[in-house]
Amino acid sequence: MHAGSEYLYLPLLVLAFLIIDLLVEVDSPRALLLNPFFWLYWLVYSVAAGAALYFMTNGMHPAIARLPMPALVLVAIVGTTTILQSLTFKVGGKRVLDLSRYLDDYRRKVLTSSASLVIRQQKRRVLRQSNRILRKIGYQGGHPESDDRMRAMYAEVMLFGARKPETVQREIAKIMADCQTAGANFGEVVARRVAQADPEWVKSFLAGS
């Protein structure tokens, strides 16, 4: 490892660390990577971790500087969390600036905006898959055969979850009644519910001949 090369791969390690840390609360790497707030959070964290690594290799006790570079990099990344979460400035014994609070607030913003992005992605997926379901079966609103196919599809998906047949039939009857009252399309409603309930089943159905 050439001297200084650790500063080139440090941001990548910080990226991996933050993704693992935030995925505990946001179960979607894609949502994080598409979130501009996440990248700003990563930039701040990378700069702080780089500064921590620099001081450990240049300004601390020689025994620390002689540690293997991978160990120093790990300490810099993990230790940055503690450092950033404890940054406060006091004047006359009074706290005038609490950077840790701002960091916590920003972290929550990253999580909430990522969660919102996940919801939007799921809505787009459901809409896309439901439209493909209707196209594949050639659904025609108001045609008994088309409605029968949608009822059978709904029952197949919902019964796969070990639900009672009579419960599923009551749900189908309620969906039909609600659609008649609201003037909604029965096939579209069922297709959306199926796409929400079992995405893997839908993928298999759409991939079949």
Side-chain angles (χ1 to χ4, degrees):
M1 181 188 301
H2 298 291
S5 63
E6 60 273 9
Y7 293 99
L8 297 178
Y9 66 77
L10 180 64
L12 295 177
L13 295 178
V14 170
L15 178 63
F17 175 80
L18 291 180
I19 290 176
I20 293 172
D21 176 46
L22 295 174
L23 278 181
V24 175
E25 301 184 59
V26 178
D27 189 20
S28 173
R30 186 169 182 269
L32 288 175
L33 296 177
L34 292 177
N35 187 347
F37 296 109
F38 168 77
W39 288 107
L40 181 56
Y41 185 58
W42 164 79
L43 179 61
V44 172
Y45 207 108
S46 296
V47 172
L53 180 61
Y54 175 83
F55 284 118
M56 281 194 296
T57 54
N58 295 278
M60 288 190 172
H61 194 279
I64 297 178
R66 286 196 295 269
L67 289 173
M69 185 55 67
L72 291 175
V73 170
L74 178 62
V75 172
I77 294 175
V78 176
T80 296
T81 300
T82 302
I83 295 172
L84 291 178
Q85 290 179 346
S86 61
L87 282 177
T88 59
F89 292 97
K90 295 182 179 180
V91 175
K94 294 183 178 181
R95 183 178 298 176
V96 296
L97 182 60
D98 187 354
L99 293 181
S100 64
R101 180 172 63 85
Y102 293 115
L103 182 66
D104 289 340
D105 289 343
Y106 191 82
R107 187 178 190 277
R108 283 192 292 270
K109 185 176 183 64
V110 172
L111 291 173
T112 55
S113 58
S114 297
S116 298
L117 183 58
V118 169
I119 293 174
R120 291 197 297 271
Q121 290 173 347
Q122 290 176 342
K123 287 182 177 179
R124 287 195 292 268
R125 175 192 61 78
V126 168
L127 179 60
R128 183 172 60 253
Q129 289 186 332
S130 61
N131 288 336
R132 290 182 62 191
I133 289 172
L134 295 175
R135 286 198 300 270
K136 181 167 184 176
I137 69 171
Y139 179 79
Q140 295 180 345
H143 286 226
E145 291 184 0
S146 291
D147 288 342
D148 286 344
R149 295 194 65 183
M150 297 307 298
R151 282 192 290 268
M153 177 184 294
Y154 184 90
E156 179 179 351
V157 172
M158 298 306 174
L159 287 174
F160 186 75
R163 300 170 68 188
K164 295 182 179 180
E166 56 269 24
T167 301
V168 174
Q169 292 303 320
R170 284 197 298 269
E171 290 178 0
I172 294 175
K174 187 176 186 308
I175 294 172
M176 295 189 67
D178 291 343
C179 288
Q180 291 177 354
T181 301
N185 186 295
F186 174 73
E188 292 178 358
V189 173
V190 171
R192 285 196 298 268
R193 294 202 180 188
V194 167
Q196 288 174 334
D198 197 337
E200 294 304 318
W201 184 93
V202 173
K203 288 181 181 179
S204 177
F205 172 77
L206 293 176
S209 57

